Amino acid sequence: MKRGYSESSSTSLGPPQSRFKHNPEGDAEFLEDETTKKFARKVADHYSARTNQTLEEREASPIIHLKKLNNWIKSVLIQLYARKGDAVLDLACGKGGDLIKWDKAKIGYYVGIDIAEGSIEDCRTRYNGDADHHQHRKKFTFPAHLICGDCYEVRLDKVLADDAPFDVVSCQFALHYSWSTEARARRALANVSALLRPGGTFIGTMPDANVIIKKLREAEGLVFGNSVYWIRFDEDFSEKKFKSSSPFGIKYKFHLEDAVDCPEWIVPFHVFKSLVEEYDMELVLVKNNHEFVHEYIKKPEFVELMRRLGALGDGNQDQSTLSNDEWEVAHLYLAFVLRKRGEPDRTQVNGRRDIGKMHISKEDQTSNEFARQEKPAWRYGKAKSSTPRTVLLATITSGCNCSVL
Ligand SMILES: C[S@@+](CC[C@H](N)C(=O)[O-])C[C@H]1O[C@@H](n2cnc3c(N)ncnc32)[C@H](O)[C@@H]1O
């Protein structure tokens, strides 16, 4: 496993695979139609255009407490599942907002990938010591490799052959962007599975389909929301029913003040759960973010972190706290933990916890809003024909603490 400096490079790849069977070694090209590409670009452009905020701008955000709450949730996941020396793959890493969290976990190596060029550039700046944000911050203790590319289209096992296997893969608030087609959803999971070591952990946060569909069904029309967000479904879904044969491509427009304004896709969790099993991963934990907060806020180490982050005020003079509307947005998301099947190679594991202790409790099973419709079980859709293409990935590599580019 390479952990030091390697040259920047461009890689041209065409993602292979059968669409309907897990076939990691398959080499048939799968192709995306123009609409899929257009939406992936729309998402990339949206995030790319979001500039870094100053500390003052950030504090003035109408969703500042929600941002802090989300950071707390991600920190808890990282503290629970990352261990000293771990090799970490951060899929859809964005501007590197989790770099400090990984540093606190004392990881040994970090690879961050995002489709948005602007975000990867901001991530690089942050890693190298951004003047505005981390003026007094010490350098990160782990070497990093940053890549701009589409994690849901490209075969990352080829791109990251020298970096794998990883102990932890993380995909925070981003996996649902892969659910625009079955091929992309499969590519995302095939990438995670191929890059995790046996016994390795996949942690993430994504929209909770059950909550969103329930809200849609309760709404008068196809739009619902509050003062900080709205969600709008297309007319195609005016009956608010979803065919069990098509669990992919259920698109809605998501607007979150000062954060998101782009197309997103529903991830029916029970389909997700059966799909991850095809890719040799098993569910360890799933909790709606409300439940996640209620559970982990009870633990002394995480209460203190919450106080420091200030999502619920600092317990002293600072009376400001999460608004009801921000709390409603938190309900739209869930946190999950998956484990790659197989026995970890103990000679290569960096003193991590006994993973045998993890289990799925009864409460971890989410209620299934989809089951209310007439066809309870989802089946996977049929393939559409497609034409060949290749994908360019630009990679930026940094050695131990050295600035890059
Ligand atoms: C809500 S942001 C989350 C960023 C980061 N994970 C965090 O928690 O701060 C979603 C991220 O997903 C990235 N993204 C969306 N589609 C992607 C794709 N196909 N490949 C890689 N990144 C993608 C976006 O560019 C954006 O940075």
Side-chain angles (χ1 to χ4, degrees):
M1 176 168 24
K2 188 149 53 182
R3 288 286 177 269
Y5 178 84
S6 68
E7 291 298 319
S8 300
S9 61
S10 288
T11 316
S12 171
L13 295 172
Q17 85 166 348
S18 141
R19 285 190 174 217
F20 305 109
K21 242 175 128 193
H22 175 27
N23 178 15
E25 300 310 318
D27 240 10
E29 301 267 336
F30 96 71
L31 306 162
E32 298 203 323
D33 60 27
E34 286 306 313
T35 314
T36 309
K37 278 189 278 180
K38 189 185 83 187
F39 283 126
R41 197 62 250 162
K42 216 170 182 168
V43 171
D45 289 346
H46 163 71
Y47 283 106
S48 226
R50 287 197 56 80
T51 51
N52 261 336
Q53 292 179 313
T54 63
L55 218 53
E56 292 71 31
E57 283 166 344
R58 192 179 135 77
E59 285 298 321
S61 167
I63 57 158
I64 181 60
H65 292 96
L66 176 67
K67 287 181 180 177
K68 289 176 176 176
L69 187 79
N70 287 342
N71 273 321
W72 179 84
I73 290 168
K74 292 190 286 178
S75 296
V76 171
L77 281 174
I78 289 172
Q79 286 186 28
L80 285 173
Y81 294 100
R83 288 293 172 268
K84 191 175 173 194
D86 273 355
V88 171
L89 172 62
D90 193 355
L91 290 183
C93 61
K95 296 169 183 297
D98 295 340
L99 284 171
I100 295 178
K101 301 176 189 73
W102 294 116
D103 209 25
K104 290 198 168 130
K106 298 190 169 58
I107 63 163
Y109 184 57
Y110 174 91
V111 175
I113 309 185
D114 200 283
I115 196 172
E117 302 83 354
S119 299
I120 281 292
E121 184 55 25
D122 287 345
C123 185
R124 183 181 71 84
T125 310
R126 183 168 282 179
Y127 177 82
N128 287 334
D130 173 327
D132 276 338
H133 288 82
H134 307 297
Q135 209 165 7
H136 304 299
R137 200 178 188 283
K138 64 177 174 46
K139 290 260 184 195
F140 290 99
T141 53
F142 51 81
H145 179 180
L146 303 179
I147 302 173
C148 184
D150 187 335
C151 308
Y152 311 142
E153 184 174 6
V154 173
R155 254 191 87 155
L156 293 179
D157 57 336
K158 291 188 172 174
V159 181
L160 296 174
D162 288 342
D163 306 69
F166 292 88
D167 302 288
V168 178
V169 175
S170 171
C171 186
Q172 303 298 337
F173 297 102
L175 197 59
H176 50 299
Y177 294 116
S178 73
W179 222 260
S180 54
T181 64
E182 179 176 0
R184 286 172 73 77
R186 284 182 177 274
R187 171 53 57 217
L189 297 177
N191 279 338
V192 174
S193 181
L195 291 165
L196 266 182
R197 66 164 172 79
T201 312
F202 178 27
I203 56 176
T205 38
M206 67 179 172
D208 185 331
N210 284 318
V211 174
I212 294 176
I213 299 298
K214 188 164 186 285
K215 282 184 179 293
L216 171 68
R217 288 178 176 155
E218 285 166 1
E220 280 201 7
L222 292 169
V223 189
F224 55 91
N226 64 31
S227 68
V228 293
Y229 89 97
W230 53 259
I231 284 178
R232 188 183 65 230
F233 280 79
D234 290 350
E235 284 298 330
D236 307 354
F237 303 113
S238 56
E239 292 196 2
K240 304 186 181 182
K241 285 182 184 165
F242 299 90
K243 285 196 192 115
S244 39
S245 54
S246 346
F248 305 94
I250 306 175
K251 183 162 68 66
Y252 57 90
K253 173 90 189 278
F254 182 53
H255 174 89
L256 178 61
E257 284 295 299
D258 189 36
V260 188
D261 196 34
C262 65
E264 302 203 341
W265 289 267
I266 287 286
V267 183
F269 198 83
H270 55 299
V271 181
F272 176 73
K273 186 171 176 283
S274 57
L275 211 53
V276 299
E277 280 162 12
E278 280 187 44
Y279 291 91
D280 278 341
M281 292 182 282
E282 61 196 9
L283 188 62
V284 171
L285 173 149
V286 56
K287 280 184 198 303
N288 179 276
N289 279 1
H290 273 190
E291 195 193 342
F292 189 96
V293 172
H294 283 304
E295 173 149 351
Y296 289 100
I297 198 72
K298 290 181 202 144
K299 318 236 180 240
E301 65 275 32
F302 300 137
V303 178
E304 172 54 21
L305 179 65
M306 182 73 96
R307 193 193 59 73
R308 272 188 279 124
L309 286 174
L312 307 177
D314 66 4
N316 298 316
Q317 311 94 316
D318 183 4
Q319 300 296 314
S320 63
T321 187
L322 201 75
S323 65
N324 287 339
D325 283 359
E326 286 173 281
W327 183 236
E328 185 180 331
V329 178
H331 195 212
L332 301 175
Y333 292 89
L334 58 76
F336 65 84
V337 179
L338 305 173
R339 180 184 176 276
K340 172 79 189 282
R341 289 211 174 90
E343 280 307 305
D345 178 350
R346 294 286 168 194
T347 58
Q348 287 189 8
V349 174
N350 295 303
R352 67 184 48 84
R353 123 198 40 70
D354 179 4
I355 36 194
K357 287 198 181 129
M358 297 177 188
H359 69 282
I360 306 171
S361 69
K362 265 220 166 113
E363 310 81 78
D364 290 341
Q365 324 267 353
T366 47
S367 65
N368 189 347
E369 181 64 22
F370 293 89
R372 293 199 192 183
Q373 52 191 51
E374 73 286 19
K375 285 182 186 164
W378 292 75
R379 289 183 306 275
Y380 304 146
K382 290 261 188 325
K384 291 196 182 100
S385 64
S386 37
T387 45
R389 63 166 302 204
T390 56
V391 180
L392 275 182
L393 277 182
T395 81
I396 308 167
T397 308
S398 95
C400 216
N401 298 328
C402 59
S403 295
V404 289
L405 291 189

